[in-house]
Amino acid sequence: DVCSSDLPEDYADNGESVQVAAPVATAPRPVADPRQTKLTEALKTIDQAEKALAALSDYTCHMVMKERIGGKLGAPNKVELSVRHEPFAVHMKWHEPRSMAGQEAVFNKATAPTKMRVKGAGLLGSVGFITLGLDDSRAKSTSRHTINEAGLANTIARVKASWSKLPMEQIEEIQIQDGTLAGRPCRQIDLVNTEAARGKLEFHRTTVWFDMATGLLAGLDGHGWPAAGEKEGDLLESYHYHEFRPNPALPNHHFTR
């Protein structure tokens, strides 16, 4: 216990001597890790994008897709993408490259949850639509993802699943800034992982864009791990979404072939 004689002396308003307790020292507050602060902000942006998307029953857009298959980055694919949320369904029609123009792929969870309908480009398309399994080797040889993994909701979910469980020692830096994607104002988020995540995560650098007007996902770029002596890894996949049209009320036959 502190004795009264050890306390500093002060005087009350009436002039009488009083004893004042010495201030108690407090431990300094820990400084917040800026990476954690930015990660929290990034995940909040993702949550807002999911809520904006959940308000839609369906949508169409033009998707520019680039994927590295077998170590080789393919030409940009320009695809007309249509998605219905419930029951989940996807329709994709290729416009570019020229060799794939006219190709179509359809997935309808309600009618064939493990199959897709596909029509080839050019002369192959003359036979019409054929049925393939979702993991058919012919489809896997041309895309990193199956058709039932297409769409904004699935892309956002993959990013969220990865980022929400990242320990700080696996995050090198996170940058959040306002920018543009194909001329549209967007919130851009870049996350770079440390070497501690090599072998555990597919991407070394992930960049995502969110449309400032709608809050929806506008694009994703994923770069792999750099080789020795390199700062940036190869681009593994890129999906940019343009000309977004919400709630077009697509009829069921749009997803039935």
Side-chain angles (χ1 to χ4, degrees):
D1 294 338
V2 178
C3 298
S4 61
S5 60
D6 296 328
L7 299 176
E9 188 175 44
D10 200 354
Y11 295 91
D13 292 339
N14 61 5
E16 294 181 352
S17 176
V18 296
Q19 301 295 325
V20 180
V24 178
T26 57
R29 292 184 178 181
V31 178
D33 189 326
R35 296 172 300 173
Q36 182 63 67
T37 302
K38 290 182 179 180
L39 180 60
T40 299
E41 182 181 350
L43 291 172
K44 182 178 179 181
T45 301
I46 289 175
D47 286 341
Q48 292 170 341
E50 287 185 321
K51 290 179 181 178
L53 190 60
L56 306 180
S57 59
D58 59 357
Y59 63 87
T60 65
C61 66
H62 287 174
M63 176 177 66
V64 179
M65 173 176 64
K66 289 186 287 185
E67 295 182 321
R68 188 173 297 274
I69 308 294
K72 181 179 179 181
L73 184 65
N77 285 210
K78 293 186 178 180
V79 180
E80 185 178 341
L81 173 67
S82 304
V83 175
R84 182 183 67 196
H85 286 152
E86 292 294 339
F88 185 64
V90 178
H91 177 265
M92 301 173 70
K93 183 174 183 178
W94 274 254
H95 295 281
E96 294 182 18
R98 186 175 180 179
S99 61
M100 299 179 70
Q103 177 175 295
E104 293 184 61
V106 182
F107 170 73
N108 191 325
K109 185 176 181 180
T111 58
T114 63
K115 304 290 184 180
M116 61 179 171
R117 297 280 286 166
V118 178
K119 185 179 81 169
L123 291 176
L124 291 175
S126 62
V127 301
F129 282 86
I130 62 173
T131 301
L132 297 177
L134 294 179
D135 59 352
D136 187 276
S137 59
R138 286 165 288 183
K140 294 174 71 174
S141 67
T142 60
S143 180
R144 290 171 54 85
H145 299 282
T146 56
I147 189 172
N148 63 325
E149 296 174 338
L152 274 66
N154 286 321
T155 304
I156 294 173
R158 288 195 294 271
V159 175
K160 184 177 182 179
S162 175
W163 289 6
S164 61
K165 58 185 180 182
L166 272 180
M168 286 300 103
E169 61 266 21
Q170 292 185 7
I171 300 176
E172 182 175 321
E173 65 172 344
I174 305 178
Q175 296 294 330
I176 302 177
Q177 58 189 333
D178 294 340
T180 60
L181 181 65
R184 286 179 297 158
C186 288
R187 172 64 53 86
Q188 178 179 329
I189 304 175
D190 290 277
L191 188 148
V192 181
N193 293 105
T194 65
E195 281 294 317
R198 188 186 286 264
K200 300 174 183 177
L201 298 176
E202 184 175 25
F203 299 148
H204 173 242
R205 176 190 294 274
T206 307
T207 304
V208 286
W209 293 264
F210 296 90
D211 190 291
M212 297 282 277
T214 65
L216 295 169
L217 178 71
L220 174 145
D221 284 0
H223 286 82
W225 291 87
E230 300 291 336
K231 291 185 177 181
E232 183 82 309
D234 291 333
L235 178 67
L236 298 183
E237 60 184 39
S238 173
Y239 310 100
H240 294 183
Y241 306 96
H242 310 282
E243 299 180 42
F244 193 88
R245 187 162 73 99
N247 292 328
L250 297 167
N252 189 59
H253 65 74
H254 187 78
F255 304 101
T256 305
R257 295 290 190 277

